[in-house]
Amino acid sequence: DSTLRTQLLHHFAPEAGSGPGEEKRAQAYVQFCFPNLEEMQHATAFPASESFTYTLTEDDGSRLFGFCRRILHPGSGGLPVCLCVLSKRQWFSLFAHVLDIMQLNYDIDAFVAPFLKAAHAAPVPLLPGATVVVAPWGPDGQQVFRLTTPEAQAPRVTSMDFLFERLGIAGALRLVAALCHESRVIILARQSSSISQVAHAASALLAPFQWQHVFIPVLPAAMIDYVAAPMPFVVGVLESHRELLASQPMDSCVFVDVDKGRFRGDDTVPQLPRPYRDALYRRLEALKHPRNGPRWDARSVSTAFSDFFAELLHDYREHLNPNAVMSLRASHAEAERARRGEGGRPPPGGGVSLDALFDHAAFVSSQPSSCRAFLEALRGAQLWEVWLVDAALDSEYLQPFQTRVLEASARLAEASLGGSEASRASPSTRARDTLTSLKFMAASH
């Protein structure tokens, strides 16, 4: 029988997570390491190295990230071996370094096993940009490895190049708009790495929002029926599985063909609104040809999108109910005390409702007409609701974005007070400037 089958060669787990149940979970993860197993049955050669990432949602709603590197090794009989590191930390750069180390020193018993054990035991620094020291044979051993945790405001991915090179600026903006409105998004490409790069880069550009639903950048063939699910999702499907995909009863999906740079099915998705979108487009155009470094610097691109969202939402605080915010924070504090066993009591009924917390209708109606369809479509989106609650709670992870919001408010206020030249502008120009300027001034106490 020449049929290819997957085999779990080594599984490292901390003692607390060992046992039959954990081993069964590890076997389940293997299918995500080889989502194109059927296609591999007919392959005559395999890439020397291929990297991709998958994301799973745990029972408690948390995310588990699988960082994968498929390699060819002399001892594998010409078949690929997949190195996979599972973590709840979305540290792309650090785990890419871990995979580099394991690939360069690949020997399961002599290196990979002791390296993973030492990496798991290494203290995780609390400060971003800090060093993690991994010493498989002790601090005086021959090999000591130093890994760096991401900077506090670093983008969640290390590269934006592939997203913009394949889809262009306009395509990237369309994909982000589809994610903002929690569409059912199917990304197609020939290679797993292509799908993974596009899915994760686009997801990172949602910041300060976070995708809350099913997110499987490379969907195994055995799970193809996920595309028929009646809820938002982002899934990647290999080109070799297109016929399987076509056999599924899909409804209102947005299709993104990475290899051809084409979109289908997003005609009814509200696009990022003008004039902010136009300013973002021009800013991204200016980043296209840097003198040094990557073609699309990930930090610069992420900053441009964060500034876009900050300007779009610059006066959202005006529409928060102060009394509801105080009640929400008190309820959150009580829930935290209860969680820590300090005698707090969670509020009955889950605390403050979103309608009481934020006047969405007033917020939308106060915006320029070009922005209203996009903002109205956010109502009910889980990523919007989660962000709104976190913003009202003044969550620490949002502090950099809140600073951008204040900066955007100041810029727009200054633009609205353009001096004598503005007063002499045409009525249509003054009306446009007024619509796109700050309405936050009265509340900036």
Side-chain angles (χ1 to χ4, degrees), residues 161-443:
D161 289 2
F162 199 83
L163 170 68
F164 285 94
E165 288 172 2
R166 290 303 179 96
L167 301 184
I169 295 176
L173 297 183
R174 288 173 69 178
L175 181 51
V176 170
L179 296 182
C180 282
H181 294 105
E182 298 187 337
S183 304
R184 301 182 185 94
V185 178
I186 299 175
I187 304 174
L188 295 119
R190 289 188 297 273
Q191 298 292 332
S192 303
S193 56
S194 301
I195 298 172
S196 178
Q197 289 182 72
V198 168
H200 282 288
S203 174
L205 294 179
L206 282 176
F209 305 119
Q210 297 179 359
W211 182 258
Q212 302 293 322
H213 302 279
V214 172
F215 186 88
I216 308 177
V218 187
L219 189 67
M223 301 175 65
I224 197 68
D225 57 351
Y226 268 52
V227 300
M231 76 267 296
F233 57 71
V234 174
V235 299
V237 176
L238 292 164
E239 183 65 34
S240 57
H241 297 160
R242 188 181 282 269
E243 289 188 10
L244 282 175
L245 179 66
S247 68
Q248 297 298 312
M250 295 172 289
D251 182 40
S252 302
C253 292
V254 175
F255 295 88
V256 183
D257 189 323
V258 173
D259 297 326
K260 297 179 181 177
R262 295 178 182 172
F263 278 74
R264 178 165 61 88
D266 67 335
D267 298 341
T268 60
V269 175
Q271 296 303 302
L272 303 181
R274 290 190 167 99
Y276 306 111
R277 182 181 68 194
D278 297 337
L280 175 60
Y281 191 102
R282 291 191 296 270
R283 186 167 173 181
L284 293 172
E285 276 281 354
L287 296 175
K288 188 184 296 185
H289 300 290
R291 295 180 180 178
N292 300 300
R295 179 178 171 84
W296 297 94
D297 178 67
R299 187 183 296 272
S300 298
V301 171
S302 296
T303 298
F305 274 85
S306 291
D307 287 344
F308 162 80
F309 284 117
E311 292 191 355
L312 182 63
L313 304 174
H314 67 271
D315 61 349
Y316 82 92
R317 286 179 178 271
E318 282 189 29
H319 305 283
L320 287 169
N321 182 332
N323 293 329
V325 170
M326 291 177 62
S327 297
L328 177 68
R329 292 181 178 180
S331 298
H332 181 74
E334 283 296 302
E336 280 296 298
R337 289 183 61 207
R339 185 182 64 82
R340 294 193 300 265
E342 297 176 0
R345 179 176 299 176
V352 180
S353 71
L354 273 177
D355 287 339
L357 179 67
F358 186 75
D359 191 339
H360 199 107
F363 171 62
V364 171
S365 64
S366 69
Q367 303 304 313
S369 58
S370 60
C371 299
R372 290 174 190 163
F374 181 89
L375 295 172
E376 178 59 36
L378 287 178
R379 186 197 296 263
Q382 196 167 335
L383 59 76
W384 166 256
E385 294 179 352
V386 169
W387 173 80
L388 198 57
V389 170
D390 286 348
L393 290 171
D394 214 17
S395 298
E396 184 177 354
Y397 83 93
L398 280 177
Q399 290 302 317
F401 181 73
Q402 299 288 34
T403 300
R404 293 187 188 282
V405 169
L406 294 175
E407 292 171 349
S409 297
R411 284 197 304 273
L412 293 172
E414 185 176 353
S416 70
L417 300 174
S420 57
E421 285 92 355
S423 65
R424 293 194 296 270
S426 67
S428 60
T429 299
R430 292 201 305 272
R432 184 193 64 220
D433 290 344
T434 300
L435 284 173
T436 59
S437 67
L438 178 69
K439 304 167 195 69
F440 192 73
M441 295 171 62

Side-chain angles (χ1 to χ4, degrees), residues 49 51 68-69 71 73 83-85 92-108 110-119 131-137 142-148:
S49 179
S51 301
C68 299
R69 177 78 53 81
I71 62 173
H73 187 266
L83 306 171
C84 179
V85 179
F92 283 85
S93 58
L94 185 144
F95 290 115
H97 191 184
V98 168
L99 293 171
D100 288 342
I101 292 170
M102 290 197 295
Q103 181 177 358
L104 290 171
N105 299 274
Y106 181 73
D107 187 310
I108 290 178
F111 182 85
V112 171
F115 174 77
L116 288 176
K117 184 176 181 180
T131 299
V132 181
V133 178
V134 180
W137 296 276
Q142 291 184 345
Q143 291 178 297
V144 176
F145 303 93
R146 288 173 171 80
L147 311 172
T148 303

